[in-house]
Amino acid sequence: MPEPVRRIVGKAAPLEMDDVDTDQIIPAQFLKVLSRKGLGKYLFYRWRFDEEGRPKEGFVLDRKEFRDAVILVAGRNFGIGSSRENAVWALMDFGIRCVIASSFGDIFYGNSVKNGLLCVRLEEEVVKRLRSEAAKGGLLLEIDVEAETIRLPGGETINFKLEPNVKRRLLEGLDEIEATLSEYGERIRAYEARMERFKMPRQTATPLE
Amino acid sequence: MAKTVLEKIWDDHVLAVRGEDEYLLYVDRHLTHEVTSPIAFENLRATGRRVRRPDLTFALMDHNVPTTDRTLPVRDEYSREQMRALARNAREFSITLFDYFSPWQGIVHVVGPELGLTVPGITLVCGDSHTSTHGALGALAFGIGTSEGEHVFATQTIWMRRPRQMEVRLEGSFKNHTTAKDAILYVIRELGTGGMIGHAVEFRGEAVKKMGVEERMTICNMAIEGGARTAIVEPDEKVYSYLDGAPYAPADEDWEDAKRYWDTLKTDNGARFDKSYRLDVSSLEPQITWGTNPAMCIGVSERVPEPREFEDPAKRRMVERALDYMGLKPGQRIEGTPIDAVFIGSCTNARLSDLVMVARLVKGRKVASGVRAMIVPGSMLVKRRAERMGLHRIFLDAGFEWRNSGCSMCIAMNEDRLGPGERGVLTSNRNFENRAGPGSRVHLSSPLTAAASALEGRIADPRKYSLASIDELELEWASPWIERNIIKPLEGG
């Protein structure tokens, strides 16, 4: 169950790239886990490590000035591709609390909300500007989820928009399963009572051999 | 009010609306596999919850299973552990499992439709992005994450925003060795990897009507690569006959009831779409990707782009980076590029009709020496049906490896992969950096283009090759379950 997310304050790191797919965020070989813990070390693995697992120089999040970043300013279509929730777990385990981009892959976006990773959509021009500001190093942002604002060091404020349900979920950090069952259990049972037989799998089937 | 097929199914499953735009949908079918499920099951255990409807939930092993001899132990310890965990979880939560040894094992998006777990008009989810595939049968299908999967296990429902709707009209008819795969690659090339974000895509038009159900699965499968939330095609008689007799599909009077309902699942005249795209497939040529996402695609007779063609510096850098990763020279012809491997497989193109296509092209011909060519059937049932038709003999004679089923090189979680710097033509759906193994260079294409490339050891234009006829069984793929298909002896076998 995610913790409530109200305010995120911290350093921003620029990721100068569009179309970052979830295969890049965490390669498939690190999906063979039975626990979600400790995935941060595999974040952007192929960009940070060579084939023998030795660290490569120069990836933005490994540079001294960005190692403690909590906000990632990316490009267009961040998190497209595979549905692997490991992408969100890896980002969060690494310490990232918020990704800013001009658009997100749909499944990634949904997975983020469930885990309390804030995804902020902004106009491409604004994202570009934030990215170049962040690239100078040491850009501290203050994000207020309730007010839907990002405060820059100079006092300038950028507004963003969250879907009401996403905002509520981030602020409350609720156990969704419990909420669904207690508020809508009746309706679920009602559907099940009227569900046509032809919508159900035939129960007699077993393999022929 | 005029409705789309998606709206009809959506409305039938909405249990509640919350806030402005959040809907609680009942989930009629939940398919799950070994890779994205363990943490969901773990959380169920930790919170003392059960799977609400094990009878609507089905598990199988596909992502990291070896495709070699099934009597041998699974060498990779992590794969083995995930397979074991799924077996344990299926037992503990009373879920039907098609395990490594099941004759019905295969890739979830091949097995679902094949067994009749997927039928028109239902909602279906699976912890895999390519779940949009099932839309080809007129189901409303969504790929979901692990937390969402846990919610479905416990409640049999899912919270969803209503997707915007987009129609992709494919008109005309396929000519000259172009296929459904070429059409969807072209659509993504035109619209970009984000072109369908936030949208559910309905594929319509003359060319879609004329497609077989398996070709429709190919286009619905890859809609996700254009960012689509899901894809759907109106169900028709072809879908009914695909499902007729399938073990989990409705039977007897349920079958008649089902068909009456399925007949209503048409997009009404005058139904509105938020976005529209139209393509005449008649003039299409075979497509192949040159870069590191599925939109980086050209016709097989074209040249790869030159970075200097791009004004936008970010685009230019991306093209430079992709060419560099792929080891291609700016502006070079794609045709004739030497390759190391060919992979016919994946949830995009490993069904019987795909294998028949390949067999028709390679019959009596040989894979070029030095090329590793592998055919990984989409399911063990596809494999057996292909063998009944004698296709495996054509493949083996030509020099292909004939494997068991799984996701294989498409995701490279088992041993099937390309080495660093190796170049392959794959019939799968993603050509991202390192997708088929660290440093792998993947070109996506249709089964025909991949087959032609295997013969030449270079990226090849399939239009040079005539297609052999296989035999009269060809006409009878409609359903794997009709009796004559199962008992008919093989030609010469």
Side-chain angles (χ1 to χ4, degrees):
Chain A
M1 194 173 103
E3 295 291 312
V5 181
R6 299 195 178 92
R7 216 166 138 266
I8 296 166
V9 183
K11 202 182 276 179
L15 183 62
E16 195 85 32
M17 210 177 304
D18 290 337
D19 298 319
V20 174
D21 56 78
T22 53
D23 269 80
Q24 307 315 317
I25 300 174
I26 186 166
Q29 74 181 98
F30 305 117
L31 308 184
K32 296 187 190 182
V33 290
L34 300 171
S35 153
R36 49 179 284 184
K37 297 204 177 66
L39 293 176
K41 54 182 177 290
Y42 309 125
L43 181 69
F44 298 119
Y45 188 84
R46 304 266 180 243
W47 296 343
R48 294 173 56 217
F49 299 93
D50 70 12
E51 276 137 33
E52 269 80 59
R54 286 179 304 240
K56 284 187 201 173
E57 294 291 299
F59 183 69
V60 60
L61 292 176
D62 289 325
R63 276 156 52 190
K64 198 164 78 248
E65 63 269 40
F66 298 118
R67 218 169 277 162
D68 54 346
V70 298
I71 299 160
L72 192 63
V73 189
R76 262 190 304 178
N77 302 334
F78 187 84
I80 52 170
S82 151
S83 67
R84 58 190 71 169
E85 200 157 318
N86 308 52
V88 175
W89 298 331
L91 282 162
M92 295 192 77
D93 190 62
F94 194 85
I96 302 295
R97 292 288 166 267
C98 169
V99 183
I100 299 174
S102 58
S103 59
F104 292 92
D106 283 328
I107 304 179
F108 176 83
Y109 188 85
N111 288 341
S112 296
V113 176
K114 301 258 177 199
N115 289 277
L117 176 69
L118 174 65
C119 290
V120 173
R121 278 194 207 97
L122 293 173
E123 290 295 319
E124 203 161 335
E125 284 313 306
V126 185
V127 175
K128 249 187 206 159
R129 185 159 66 86
L130 279 178
R131 210 166 46 218
S132 56
E133 284 297 317
K136 294 175 191 160
L139 176 70
L140 281 175
L141 298 177
E142 195 181 326
I143 304 176
D144 185 328
V145 175
E146 175 67 54
E148 295 172 295
T149 56
I150 303 173
R151 258 174 74 91
L152 277 69
E156 185 196 347
T157 302
I158 296 169
N159 294 307
F160 62 90
K161 194 89 197 90
L162 293 171
E163 297 86 346
N165 58 297
V166 169
K167 182 170 165 179
R168 190 180 51 83
R169 215 173 269 176
L170 288 168
L171 290 172
E172 292 174 10
L174 79 173
D175 179 348
E176 203 168 34
I177 292 176
E178 192 47 50
T180 301
L181 288 174
S182 63
E183 283 174 54
Y184 303 100
E186 204 56 53
R187 299 189 193 197
I188 297 171
R189 279 189 291 276
Y191 178 92
E192 287 174 336
R194 74 174 165 86
M195 186 176 178
E196 298 90 339
R197 256 209 346 232
F198 64 76
K199 284 188 188 156
M200 299 187 210
R202 226 161 76 206
Q203 292 301 305
T204 52
T206 45
L208 295 163
E209 295 175 352
Chain B
M1 208 189 73
K3 284 184 179 181
T4 63
V5 56
L6 176 135
E7 287 169 320
K8 289 179 184 182
I9 303 171
W10 180 277
D11 292 348
D12 187 38
H13 290 85
V14 170
L15 305 181
V17 191
R18 192 163 67 181
E20 286 171 24
D21 185 29
E22 210 188 4
Y23 295 80
L24 185 67
L25 298 183
Y26 194 84
V27 174
D28 295 327
R29 215 72 90 238
H30 186 184
L31 308 180
T32 190
H33 60 82
E34 78 278 21
V35 172
T36 56
S37 69
I39 292 160
F41 284 118
E42 198 51 52
N43 289 348
L44 287 181
R45 252 192 300 275
T47 49
R49 292 181 175 127
R50 303 292 303 163
V51 172
R52 181 182 180 89
R53 292 297 299 265
D55 58 325
L56 304 180
T57 309
F58 293 82
L60 56 76
M61 299 175 183
D62 58 1
H63 277 62
N64 59 28
V65 301
T67 56
T68 44
D69 186 346
R70 298 251 140 126
T71 62
L72 298 173
V74 177
R75 274 203 304 257
D76 182 306
E77 113 188 61
Y78 298 101
S79 297
R80 201 168 60 226
E81 276 315 306
Q82 278 193 332
M83 291 162 69
R84 277 200 186 130
L86 184 65
R88 257 195 325 269
N89 289 328
R91 209 163 39 241
E92 180 178 340
F93 293 95
S94 309
I95 296 167
T96 301
L97 168 70
F98 306 118
D99 74 0
Y100 190 44
F101 306 104
S102 169
W104 289 359
Q105 182 270 346
I107 307 171
V108 61
H109 310 310
V110 178
V111 171
E114 179 176 78
L115 296 186
L117 292 168
T118 310
V119 292
I122 61 166
T123 47
L124 180 152
V125 300
C126 173
D128 187 277
S129 56
H130 292 109
T131 306
S132 55
T133 312
H134 305 258
L137 290 92
L140 180 55
F142 294 105
I144 59 173
T146 299
S147 298
E148 282 174 318
E150 184 191 342
H151 189 274
V152 177
F153 280 140
T155 70
Q156 204 59 32
T157 62
I158 186 167
W159 287 102
M160 276 256 155
R161 293 171 58 203
R162 200 178 177 117
R164 290 188 294 276
Q165 296 192 75
M166 176 172 183
E167 64 168 341
V168 171
R169 281 190 168 275
L170 303 179
E171 303 292 357
S173 47
F174 289 102
K175 297 200 175 76
N176 290 333
H177 296 24
T178 57
T179 65
K181 179 67 164 286
D182 301 298
I184 190 63
L185 282 172
Y186 188 85
V187 170
I188 296 164
R189 163 186 177 175
E190 288 291 295
L191 298 175
T193 51
M196 306 176 190
I197 282 185
H199 289 79
V201 172
E202 182 178 333
F203 287 103
R204 337 175 55 194
E206 193 191 341
V208 178
K209 279 205 184 78
K210 281 190 275 197
M211 279 181 195
V213 180
E214 298 188 344
E215 295 171 277
R216 296 176 192 171
M217 286 191 235
T218 300
I219 56 174
C220 288
N221 173 279
M222 279 200 77
I224 177 77
E225 307 307 333
R229 192 68 189 85
T230 189
I232 197 163
V233 177
E234 279 180 358
D236 61 6
E237 287 292 335
K238 288 185 188 171
V239 173
Y240 306 173
S241 82
Y242 197 82
L243 291 169
D244 193 358
Y248 289 97
D252 309 322
E253 64 265 40
D254 291 344
W255 176 251
E256 297 308 317
D257 290 346
K259 283 201 291 188
R260 263 191 299 279
Y261 174 61
W262 298 345
D263 281 339
T264 68
L265 300 175
K266 307 283 178 201
T267 290
D268 298 328
N269 285 330
R272 278 200 54 250
F273 290 92
D274 303 288
K275 216 168 158 182
S276 214
Y277 175 82
R278 188 179 177 284
L279 172 70
D280 188 329
V281 302
S282 315
S283 52
L284 212 55
E285 71 162 318
Q287 303 289 305
I288 186 155
T289 64
W290 59 266
T292 51
N293 73 47
M296 292 176 164
C297 176
I298 52 178
V300 68
S301 70
E302 293 180 69
R303 293 169 182 276
V304 305
E306 305 209 31
R308 63 184 155 94
E309 294 162 21
F310 297 85
E311 297 268 330
D312 178 3
K315 272 250 169 64
R316 199 182 315 137
R317 267 199 313 276
M318 261 181 83
V319 171
E320 270 165 9
R321 183 191 169 106
L323 287 172
D324 179 55
Y325 179 87
M326 293 297 292
L328 296 170
K329 286 192 215 59
Q332 76 163 81
R333 280 195 183 287
I334 194 86
E335 194 183 346
T337 308
I339 57 168
D340 304 291
V342 163
F343 168 72
I344 312 275
S346 88
C347 56
T348 312
N349 280 122
R351 298 180 182 82
L352 191 61
S353 56
D354 298 310
L355 302 192
V356 167
M357 242 192 284
V358 173
R360 291 184 61 190
L361 193 140
V362 305
K363 190 175 182 184
R365 299 185 166 118
K366 292 277 182 215
V367 169
S369 71
V371 173
R372 190 156 53 104
M374 184 190 282
I375 299 180
V376 180
S379 70
M380 293 308 281
L381 193 61
V382 167
K383 181 174 188 183
R384 286 216 311 278
R385 290 165 63 207
E387 289 179 352
R388 277 192 195 106
M389 292 175 72
L391 302 188
H392 62 310
R393 263 175 260 139
I394 297 172
F395 299 142
L396 291 168
D397 287 348
F400 283 90
E401 293 178 47
W402 177 237
R403 297 293 193 95
N404 288 317
S405 184
C407 297
S408 184
M409 198 183 284
C410 175
I411 191 161
M413 289 184 73
N414 67 359
E415 294 80 7
D416 308 341
R417 57 183 64 179
L418 297 175
E422 276 191 333
R423 185 183 303 282
V425 179
L426 279 62
T427 64
S428 51
N429 42 54
R430 288 191 176 133
N431 51 345
F432 299 149
E433 289 180 15
N434 308 301
R435 174 79 180 182
S440 58
R441 292 166 170 165
V442 171
H443 297 271
L444 302 175
S445 81
S446 76
L448 287 177
T449 304
S453 303
L455 299 181
E456 294 191 16
R458 296 162 187 279
I459 292 175
D461 189 335
R463 290 173 293 187
K464 290 188 279 191
Y465 294 89
S466 59
L467 300 184
S469 66
I470 298 289
D471 62 33
E472 77 278 15
L473 270 176
E474 241 179 86
L475 300 171
E476 296 179 14
W477 316 324
S479 166
W481 304 104
I482 44 181
E483 202 173 334
R484 64 180 182 281
N485 228 354
I486 289 178
I487 59 172
K488 189 160 184 167
L490 288 171
E491 185 191 21

